[in-house]
Amino acid sequence: MTLSMHTRICDLFGIRYPLVLAGMAGIANMAPLVSAVSAAGGLGTLGAAYLKPDEIRAVVRDIRQLTDRPFAVNLFAPGKPDDYENFDIVNRQLDGIRRSLGVPHPAQGEIRTPDLFERQFDVLLEEQVRILSLTFGLLPERHSQRAKAAGMRVIATATTVDEAIQAEQAGCDAVVAQGSEAGGHRGTFDTTLRRMGTNIGTMALVPQTADAVHIPVIAAGGLMDGRGLAASLILGASGVQMGTRFLTSVESGAHPAYKRALLGSTEESTVLTDAFSGRPARGIRNAFISEWEAGGLDPLPFPTQNTLTRDIRSAAARQNDPEHMALWAGQGTRLLTEHLAAAEIVRQTIEEARRLLG
Amino acid sequence: MTLSMHTRICDLFGIRYPLVLAGMAGIANMAPLVSAVSAAGGLGTLGAAYLKPDEIRAVVRDIRQLTDRPFAVNLFAPGKPDDYENFDIVNRQLDGIRRSLGVPHPAQGEIRTPDLFERQFDVLLEEQVRILSLTFGLLPERHSQRAKAAGMRVIATATTVDEAIQAEQAGCDAVVAQGSEAGGHRGTFDTTLRRMGTNIGTMALVPQTADAVHIPVIAAGGLMDGRGLAASLILGASGVQMGTRFLTSVESGAHPAYKRALLGSTEESTVLTDAFSGRPARGIRNAFISEWEAGGLDPLPFPTQNTLTRDIRSAAARQNDPEHMALWAGQGTRLLTEHLAAAEIVRQTIEEARRLLG
């Protein structure tokens, strides 16, 4: 049997190669990277979860200026409202870090996470975005029906076989099987009983998920090159999603200090932490994480902790201080390259996978 | 490029297929399983770490009665002597579990871990065992020289790229890259700074290790079938090591209650714990782990905690009580099968991998 680069997700999304750019929320100026991956034959994904509806509209239009190829937009599934239990103690705990960066102490009244989902979703329909990817859960039934009626394809993110089965039963068109190697937030639907997510390794998660669902499975987590793509297809996936790999590409809007930290990191550099957002995510251990852990507190639940630490992360970025930014990264960072265009990463990955699969 | 089933480890070990049985210490009556894997063309491994020297000699002779094919013996690298700091508090903490099983409370003087390594190693040389695999570190220089002089092949177990590089520099002939999916103990050399080991996913660890060393890399962690073998070869490995996969085979000496627990488990069933031995290991969460965690204590260091909990585990096995046994398992257990002979597992795995690699 010879595995082809033309898989089910190529037909499903109208793309040439089974390679999806992860939707990386919080990275600046995503249009060049998203459009470059799509133009090269993959599926670019705009990580729009933190963008205001009008910002999404603007970036979607920017991407369309740059390519006429399909792309996706990633949102967080709607979650819980802000939770201020223990707010004062957590807020005070962050003051040490704030002082070192010159960030003022906020009052509780200043920390309000806007509930963007309804309007974000409306904008995707208004702009006729064709592919929506979801993290942290599934679409509410009403939104699922509206997406279907609009002919939108929906990709869910699963970190267990059961989550993938739930996604299939909810009518999702494809599911990302996100292994423990992955950088950034875990897609785990419910972290109340699993504070650090489920953390099933990609090698174990992909074949078990592929056996359990009929919709295409997109492997994610630690995949960095044609070896990872070919291995994922062998395991039963219909494609791969790569995030970290593109963060050091020419078109990436990642902060220069973040890029340097990625290029200087190894498979041992990252930890799982909920210190930044209240939800578990994999990032390079830095002073923020260590200082937070030394305090011994639980963070506020997502999204409140995320909103509470935003000023700190923004100040760190302005001050080129990677020790207080969220340096999301997977476990494959020895394989990162510098100065490569995203299209070249796509081309090399596909060519290497083709060669390996003979 | 078409990847062959005849890889570098086939020549190195004189085996037909690049499939290694993990050395699983603590499983009863290993000769039938070890010899079956070797006779089928793989490399059986006797997990001898807890065996007394004369027991090793006897099982090695049993294996040779059953097959004339190569096999390996796995030992723990020599470690630290017993450490009794906090002994009384940890010992008392275990009394609740002991009471439920009718196990007497031991005095400190009864908990003595025999230092077996010197004599175990001598027996391997005396019995002319050809392949030694090591976990928890490397051979001391003197033993390494004796192994070399005897023409013994040495396999190390690494959980990071740096550990694999250390193994190569120490003259090891091959290295197992053990990913986080793996069941049982982490091979991590030094867990003092990494209490739960390093936990790099197999998909990320294997290609980065293969890039970094010249000796053959054997992938381990979550590998259960021909998909896992083919994917590992694609990632740059020269073969795979599978442990959990063989625990439910016909020849396995695993306790029937342990086999049932394995067959009823999923990728979500396991946790990393140092409750049983003082060293991190992946096993199915059961009452022992939960009761231990509820106490909030750190275990004694390995090997003292292991020796201290032995009576509890033995009693649980006698009472068919899987809730107080160490149910080591990887994250691929949905792929387990019942009633298959080890030779059939080897045959199916090789055939499937061949078909996938075209």
Side-chain angles (χ1 to χ4, degrees):
Chain A
M1 176 167 110
T2 301
L3 291 164
S4 158
M5 285 300 124
H6 189 91
T7 72
R8 292 166 70 198
I9 66 166
C10 294
D11 293 326
L12 184 64
F13 302 137
I15 56 179
R16 189 160 174 201
Y17 302 127
L19 196 169
V20 179
L21 173 69
M24 296 181 282
I27 303 291
N29 189 25
M30 281 293 286
L33 179 56
V34 173
S35 60
V37 171
S38 287
L43 183 70
T45 303
L46 170 63
Y50 297 132
L51 299 183
K52 299 193 183 88
D54 282 345
E55 293 172 328
I56 296 178
R57 193 188 310 277
V59 187
V60 162
R61 292 180 178 181
D62 286 348
I63 293 167
R64 287 188 168 141
Q65 288 288 319
L66 293 164
T67 184
D68 61 357
R69 305 297 306 144
F71 63 94
V73 175
N74 180 274
L75 295 180
F76 295 158
K80 296 191 178 139
D82 275 320
D83 178 340
Y84 298 101
E85 199 183 328
N86 299 323
F87 182 89
D88 288 339
I89 183 171
V90 169
N91 194 15
R92 270 198 308 274
Q93 175 66 38
L94 292 166
D95 281 342
I97 296 173
R98 288 196 186 101
R99 268 190 298 274
S100 71
L101 293 161
V103 174
H105 174 94
Q108 182 176 318
E110 297 171 57
I111 302 302
R112 290 276 175 270
T113 310
D115 187 0
L116 298 173
F117 181 79
E118 288 292 334
R119 283 292 300 135
Q120 289 174 325
F121 186 79
D122 287 345
V123 165
L124 299 196
L125 291 184
E126 289 158 20
E127 294 297 317
Q128 300 185 40
V129 167
R130 313 303 295 167
I131 308 165
L132 166 63
S133 81
L134 261 287
T135 313
F136 301 164
L138 302 172
L139 281 179
E141 176 60 25
R142 191 172 65 86
H143 298 79
S144 186
Q145 286 173 7
R146 289 175 67 201
K148 278 242 171 314
M152 187 185 261
R153 301 293 190 189
V154 179
I155 310 171
T157 305
T159 61
T160 66
V161 172
D162 279 347
E163 288 171 350
I165 291 170
Q166 287 180 51
E168 177 170 65
Q169 289 173 345
C172 293
D173 299 283
V175 62
V176 173
Q178 184 196 38
S180 64
E181 294 94 327
H185 281 102
R186 314 291 87 182
T188 302
F189 293 4
D190 184 351
T191 55
T192 52
L193 289 176
R194 299 179 290 202
R195 178 168 163 186
M196 285 300 150
T198 60
N199 298 302
I200 316 301
T202 305
M203 187 70 90
L205 182 61
V206 171
Q208 294 181 95
T209 304
D211 284 353
V213 298
H214 304 92
I215 54 176
V217 173
I218 300 165
L223 308 169
M224 301 294 282
D225 55 22
R227 292 178 291 187
L229 169 55
S232 297
L233 297 181
I234 290 269
L235 292 175
S238 298
V240 293
Q241 179 168 288
M242 298 184 355
T244 309
R245 181 68 175 95
F246 287 100
L247 282 174
T248 57
S249 68
V250 169
E251 293 88 346
S252 161
H255 192 289
Y258 180 13
K259 289 189 185 182
R260 278 194 299 275
L262 286 165
L263 290 164
S265 70
T266 77
E267 79 286 357
E268 293 186 73
S269 301
T270 66
V271 291
L272 290 167
T273 182
D274 52 8
F276 288 107
S277 73
R279 258 198 168 265
R282 184 179 295 285
I284 297 171
R285 176 181 281 286
N286 62 4
F288 183 97
I289 296 171
S290 298
E291 288 167 29
W292 172 263
E293 286 178 357
L297 289 179
D298 287 351
L300 302 178
F302 183 90
T304 316
Q305 182 83 2
N306 190 62
T307 305
L308 183 61
T309 66
R310 178 162 292 155
D311 273 5
I312 292 171
R313 290 177 283 125
S314 300
R318 282 193 306 273
Q319 297 173 30
N320 297 307
D321 170 14
E323 290 299 329
H324 296 93
M325 300 163 62
L327 305 172
W328 302 142
Q331 291 183 323
T333 56
R334 283 183 196 258
L335 303 175
L336 284 172
T337 48
E338 215 177 341
H339 307 310
L340 270 190
E344 183 61 15
I345 294 173
V346 172
R347 194 192 65 73
Q348 287 183 8
T349 301
I350 299 300
E351 188 177 287
E352 184 181 25
R354 272 204 179 117
R355 187 172 52 74
L356 287 167
L357 293 173
Chain B
M1 176 165 110
T2 301
L3 291 165
S4 159
M5 285 302 123
H6 190 91
T7 72
R8 293 167 68 199
I9 66 166
C10 294
D11 293 326
L12 185 64
F13 302 137
I15 55 178
R16 188 161 175 201
Y17 303 127
L19 196 167
V20 179
L21 173 68
M24 297 181 282
I27 303 292
N29 188 25
M30 281 293 287
L33 178 55
V34 173
S35 59
V37 171
S38 287
L43 182 70
T45 302
L46 170 63
Y50 299 131
L51 299 183
K52 298 192 183 89
D54 282 345
E55 293 172 328
I56 297 178
R57 192 188 312 275
V59 186
V60 162
R61 291 180 179 183
D62 286 347
I63 293 168
R64 287 189 169 140
Q65 287 289 319
L66 294 164
T67 184
D68 60 358
R69 306 296 306 144
F71 64 93
V73 175
N74 180 273
L75 295 180
F76 295 159
K80 296 191 178 142
D82 275 320
D83 179 340
Y84 299 100
E85 199 183 327
N86 299 321
F87 182 89
D88 289 338
I89 184 170
V90 168
N91 194 13
R92 270 197 308 275
Q93 176 66 37
L94 292 166
D95 281 342
I97 296 174
R98 288 197 186 101
R99 267 190 299 274
S100 70
L101 293 161
V103 174
H105 174 94
Q108 182 175 319
E110 298 171 56
I111 302 302
R112 290 277 175 270
T113 310
D115 186 1
L116 299 172
F117 182 79
E118 288 292 334
R119 283 293 299 137
Q120 289 174 325
F121 185 79
D122 287 346
V123 165
L124 300 196
L125 291 184
E126 288 158 21
E127 294 297 317
Q128 300 185 41
V129 167
R130 312 304 295 167
I131 308 166
L132 166 63
S133 82
L134 261 287
T135 313
F136 303 165
L138 302 172
L139 281 179
E141 175 61 24
R142 190 171 65 86
H143 299 78
S144 185
Q145 287 173 6
R146 290 174 68 202
K148 279 243 171 315
M152 187 185 261
R153 301 294 189 187
V154 179
I155 310 171
T157 305
T159 62
T160 65
V161 172
D162 280 346
E163 287 171 351
I165 291 170
Q166 287 179 53
E168 177 170 65
Q169 290 172 345
C172 293
D173 298 284
V175 62
V176 173
Q178 184 196 38
S180 64
E181 293 93 327
H185 280 103
R186 315 290 88 182
T188 302
F189 292 5
D190 184 352
T191 56
T192 51
L193 288 175
R194 300 178 289 201
R195 178 168 163 186
M196 286 300 151
T198 61
N199 297 303
I200 316 302
T202 305
M203 187 70 89
L205 182 62
V206 172
Q208 294 180 93
T209 304
D211 285 352
V213 298
H214 304 92
I215 54 177
V217 174
I218 300 165
L223 307 169
M224 302 293 284
D225 56 19
R227 291 177 292 187
L229 169 54
S232 297
L233 297 180
I234 289 270
L235 292 175
S238 297
V240 294
Q241 179 168 286
M242 298 185 352
T244 309
R245 180 69 175 94
F246 287 99
L247 283 174
T248 57
S249 67
V250 169
E251 293 87 347
S252 162
H255 193 289
Y258 180 13
K259 288 189 186 182
R260 279 193 299 276
L262 287 165
L263 290 163
S265 70
T266 75
E267 80 286 357
E268 294 185 72
S269 301
T270 67
V271 291
L272 290 167
T273 183
D274 52 8
F276 289 106
S277 72
R279 257 197 169 266
R282 183 180 294 286
I284 298 172
R285 176 181 280 287
N286 61 4
F288 183 98
I289 297 171
S290 298
E291 287 166 31
W292 172 265
E293 286 177 357
L297 288 179
D298 287 352
L300 302 178
F302 184 90
T304 317
Q305 181 83 2
N306 190 62
T307 305
L308 183 61
T309 66
R310 178 162 291 155
D311 274 4
I312 292 171
R313 291 178 281 126
S314 300
R318 282 193 306 274
Q319 297 174 30
N320 297 306
D321 170 15
E323 290 299 327
H324 296 93
M325 300 163 62
L327 306 171
W328 302 143
Q331 291 184 323
T333 56
R334 285 183 194 258
L335 304 175
L336 284 171
T337 49
E338 217 176 340
H339 307 310
L340 271 191
E344 182 61 16
I345 294 172
V346 172
R347 195 193 64 74
Q348 287 182 9
T349 301
I350 300 300
E351 189 178 286
E352 183 180 27
R354 272 203 179 118
R355 188 173 51 74
L356 286 166
L357 293 173

